[in-house]
Amino acid sequence: MNEKIRINYTYYNNPELLQEVIQYYEPYSNEFDFSVIDDGSQIHPLTKDMLPDNWIGYRIEEDLGWGNEVARNILMRRTSNTWNALLDLDIVIDLSEPGSLHFFGASTTSISGFVKYFHNYRGCKLVHQFPYGARTDYFDFTKEITGNAGNFAINSFIVSRESWQETYGYDMVFAYTYGMDATLVANNQEAMMPFGKLKKLCNQAVPDMSRILNQSVYQEFYDLYNHYIESGEMIAELFKWKSEDKRLKYIKPFPDVVDL
């Protein structure tokens, strides 16, 4: 196992923003490993010459719709690193000063190895126990967030490869629907750890807003979810299946991926 943190990004038709992210991490290139996967770009597809030698790149060649979470699943299937950060392209980890890379742990034994290993990593520290669910791309988490701010889904986080393998990551039954991230939240909330400080580079990682504002990708998620609730195969409000056999009947296949 590789003991560096691997920082994993998803990409879609935004080469300028990718270059900004790459340049940001250049001073820290020896401290982390880096991967990025293209989620089906047709206008500005990811190519090997867009990446420095220390970045690993993958490309889903067919644009299958909203596939950010599918792409993250692929990154986690490919990684050999123990600890992996999953980030959207408009977010970077704040590494502006020593000790700024804080983590918030959950009170589970599965994370004890993380706490021990990273106690001295860049001078980071576990600041406090953190209420699950706060959204890390809008807040500075050197202080605890409470109330309504804690109700958003975590979208930028670190997770161990082992924890991911013990579940199924984002549920592929809901692949290519906007809302698929809720399935990860429901099944991995004790393993997902938000960062203490993140920097937001711009308002949106995807330049074509129509991909996000398309109501059909929302509706498809809710229609699928309601169908499996009504059929008695999922537990209402928990995004949990009554059995793994039931889930496996409906999972969508992974797309073809090109190594760059």
Side-chain angles (χ1 to χ4, degrees):
M1 288 288 185
N2 191 328
E3 296 304 330
K4 286 184 179 180
I5 301 175
R6 178 168 293 280
I7 299 176
N8 297 278
Y9 278 99
T10 52
Y11 166 92
Y12 186 77
N13 281 329
N14 204 334
E16 292 83 7
L17 185 56
L18 175 62
Q19 291 309 310
E20 186 175 350
V21 169
I22 290 171
Q23 290 172 15
Y24 174 84
Y25 286 115
E26 188 174 355
Y28 316 105
S29 59
N30 293 325
E31 296 188 42
F32 302 94
D33 292 328
F34 301 93
S35 294
V36 60
I37 184 169
D38 185 341
D39 173 24
S41 299
Q42 302 299 304
I43 300 173
H44 298 293
L46 183 67
T47 59
K48 187 174 181 60
D49 60 8
M50 294 165 61
L51 301 173
D53 291 341
N54 62 322
W55 281 64
I56 294 175
Y58 309 102
R59 186 173 68 244
I60 301 171
E61 294 196 296
E62 185 178 0
D63 191 347
L64 297 169
W66 183 263
N68 186 61
E69 290 77 26
V70 174
R72 286 185 171 194
N73 274 346
I74 292 169
L75 287 169
M76 289 301 296
R77 286 161 65 97
R78 298 294 185 98
T79 184
S80 61
N81 296 61
T82 302
W83 298 101
N84 291 266
L86 291 170
L87 301 163
D88 288 342
L89 200 60
D90 56 338
I91 301 292
V92 294
I93 305 169
D94 187 344
L95 299 168
S96 58
E97 59 186 57
S100 64
L101 183 58
H102 301 300
F103 298 97
F104 297 88
S107 56
T108 61
T109 56
S110 64
I111 310 178
S112 61
F114 176 90
V115 175
K116 181 179 179 181
Y117 179 75
F118 287 106
H119 181 68
N120 293 315
Y121 191 88
R122 281 190 57 85
C124 74
K125 56 185 177 181
L126 291 173
V127 179
H128 51 67
Q129 299 302 316
F130 190 76
Y132 166 71
R135 189 178 174 111
T136 57
D137 47 357
Y138 297 144
F139 300 101
D140 178 350
F141 289 110
T142 55
K143 296 181 179 180
E144 185 170 351
I145 302 298
T146 58
N148 290 335
N151 294 329
F152 295 96
I154 296 174
N155 198 41
S156 304
F157 57 91
I158 189 167
V159 66
S160 76
R161 182 172 178 266
E162 179 183 6
S163 295
W164 196 275
Q165 290 177 333
E166 288 174 354
T167 61
Y168 42 73
Y170 297 98
D171 192 342
M172 288 296 291
V173 172
F174 298 93
Y176 313 112
T177 65
Y178 199 92
M180 186 182 178
D181 55 338
T183 65
L184 178 75
V185 169
N187 293 284
N188 290 271
Q189 54 185 272
E190 292 186 336
M192 297 162 60
M193 293 171 288
F195 291 98
K197 291 184 179 180
L198 294 167
K199 293 176 65 176
K200 197 159 176 62
L201 299 180
C202 63
N203 289 330
Q204 184 58 53
V206 179
D208 181 5
M209 290 298 290
S210 64
R211 204 174 198 235
I212 296 172
L213 299 177
N214 183 352
Q215 290 299 314
S216 66
V217 294
Y218 293 91
Q219 193 60 48
E220 184 180 356
F221 174 81
Y222 287 112
D223 288 348
L224 282 172
Y225 172 66
N226 289 329
H227 169 75
Y228 295 125
I229 294 298
E230 292 171 3
S231 68
E233 295 170 290
M234 291 188 76
I235 302 172
E237 299 181 1
L238 296 180
F239 295 98
K240 292 182 181 288
W241 293 86
K242 292 188 176 179
S243 75
E244 179 65 1
D245 288 341
K246 291 184 182 297
R247 188 185 77 86
L248 291 174
K249 290 193 303 181
Y250 304 114
I251 58 172
K252 298 180 177 71
F254 279 94
D256 294 332
V257 179
V258 174
D259 294 3
L260 300 179

